[in-house]
């Protein structure tokens, strides 16, 4: 059959390829991660295979669309304003830059924090083909926000990202120091955040600190429970870690983690409360300085 169009959807190189009739009706799609072709109209099967042939890589399977799993049904029923998955790296900082204080020093620090979170977040997003899933700017009432929540074969990681500013970073049991700046309690904070995430997900969550563009990182020998990540070595570090989660477990945990109901307590989220994407006032309590125009 002539006239079938192949159109991409999702991230370049990772999403689906949809096969549509000339009137725009979809008759099939090709999932490039699973190498599966789902055919909606069997009478177009041969034409669909011919249209997709230039895009197929390696062995593939053909059949009707798979039956949705319980996790798929929960994801499809999730209202957009309760879904954390669309959050970009540094989502909360983008809002602060647009609507926050006009102080030049404060905005400079914000831009440094945002650049670090965006670089690390983009790197974590790139791990998706290797069965990793990531959420950004996850609210933790009383603690602030988790910069990145990474879920994959090696487990669940609660990640705080910090700019190294091309200076030496020293990580201790309780404090982290970058250059000559005042020490900050980021190691203590990330442990508390990981413990809170463990309670919310009912699954072990490991604390991690990501340092972006530090000239050198020194870690105290007593720091054994916090993973220290850098953009250049994080993918290899995570790939070498022992496997603890299978793909179905990863998807189920990601589906649970992406909804705000998992993180907000009943008095902040309830059936009679107006839904909102941003966290309530009083959510923030972390070691990073407030932006007050200093």
């Amino acid at each position: 059959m002539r006239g079938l169009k192949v159109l991409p959807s999702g991230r370049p190189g990772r999403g689906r390829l949809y096969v549509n009739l000339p009137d725009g009706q979809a008759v099939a799609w090709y999932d490039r991660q699973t190498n599966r072709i789902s055919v909606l109209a069997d009478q177009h099967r041969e034409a669909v295979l011919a249209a997709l042939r230039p895009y197929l890589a390696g062995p593939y399977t053909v059949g009707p669309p798979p039956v949705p799993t319980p996790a798929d049904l929960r994801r499809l029923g999730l209202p957009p304003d309760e879904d954390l998955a669309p959050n970009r790296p540094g989502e909360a900082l983008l809002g602060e830059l647009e609507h926050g204080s006009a102080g030049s020093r404060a905005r400079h620090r914000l831009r440094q924090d945002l650049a670090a979170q965006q670089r690390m977040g983009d790197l974590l997003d790139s791990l998706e083909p290797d069965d990793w899933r990531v959420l950004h700017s996850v609210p933790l009432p009383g603690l602030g926000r988790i910069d990145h929540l990474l879920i994959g074969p090696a487990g669940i990681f609660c990640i705080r990202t910090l700019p190294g500013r091309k200076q030496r970073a020293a990580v201790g049991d309780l404090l982290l120091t970058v250059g000559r700046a005042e020490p900050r309690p980021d190691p203590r904070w990330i442990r508390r955040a990981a413990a809170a995430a463990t309670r919310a997900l009912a699954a072990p969550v490991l604390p991690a600190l990501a340092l972006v563009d530090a000239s050198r990182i020194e870690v105290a020998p007593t720091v054994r429970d916090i993973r220290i990540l850098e953009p250049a070595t994080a993918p290899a570090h995570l790939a070498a870690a022992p496997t603890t989660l299978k793909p179905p477990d990863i998807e189920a945990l990601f589906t649970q983690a992406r909804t705000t109901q998992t993180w907000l307590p009943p008095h902040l989220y309830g059936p009679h409360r107006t839904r909102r994407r941003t966290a309530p006032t009083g959510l923030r309590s972390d070691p990073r300085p407030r932006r007050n125009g200093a």
Side-chain angles (χ1 to χ4, degrees), residues 159-160 162 171 176 186-187 190 207-211 226-229:
I159 302 174
R160 160 64 58 90
L162 303 158
V171 183
L176 179 146
D186 292 288
I190 197 62
L209 293 173
L211 288 153
I226 299 176
R227 302 289 182 98
I228 307 300
L229 304 176

Side-chain angles (χ1 to χ4, degrees), residues 159-227:
I159 302 174
R160 160 64 58 90
T161 294
L162 303 158
R165 304 187 182 93
K166 301 187 183 301
Q167 300 179 63
R168 180 185 68 91
V171 183
D173 274 321
L174 301 177
L175 299 175
L176 179 146
T177 306
V178 176
R180 297 183 179 180
E182 287 291 322
R184 305 186 336 181
D186 292 288
R188 183 168 53 188
W189 185 92
I190 197 62
R191 290 189 182 100
R192 293 176 61 199
T198 295
R199 291 191 295 271
L201 296 174
V205 178
L206 305 174
L209 293 173
L211 288 153
V212 178
D213 285 335
S215 61
R216 186 170 78 256
I217 300 177
E218 298 176 358
V219 183
T222 52
V223 179
R224 300 186 181 94
D225 58 329
I226 299 176
R227 302 289 182 98

Side-chain angles (χ1 to χ4, degrees), residues 4 14 30 82 114 116 118 154 163 177 196 219 221 250-251 256:
L4 290 181
R14 302 183 205 169
Y30 170 46
E82 297 174 18
L114 177 61
Q118 288 177 331
T177 306
V219 183
I250 294 170
E251 293 301 329
Q256 179 186 358

Side-chain angles (χ1 to χ4, degrees), residues 49-71:
L49 293 177
L52 287 173
R53 191 161 289 117
Y55 306 95
L56 300 177
Y60 60 87
T61 58
V62 184
V67 176
T69 64

Side-chain angles (χ1 to χ4, degrees), residues 100-158:
S101 167
S104 58
R105 289 177 59 189
R107 295 184 72 81
H108 178 65
R109 290 195 298 268
L110 268 177
R111 283 191 288 267
Q112 286 183 323
D113 288 346
L114 177 61
Q117 289 191 34
Q118 288 177 331
R119 181 174 172 190
M120 196 67 199
D122 290 343
L123 174 70
L124 298 175
D125 284 336
S126 72
L127 301 177
E128 185 178 330
D130 298 322
D131 291 331
W132 290 91
R133 301 291 181 265
V134 62
L135 295 168
H136 307 287
S137 197
V138 176
L140 273 182
L143 287 174
R145 290 178 180 272
I146 300 172
D147 293 338
H148 320 285
L149 187 76
L150 184 66
I151 305 172
I156 311 172
F157 296 87
C158 173

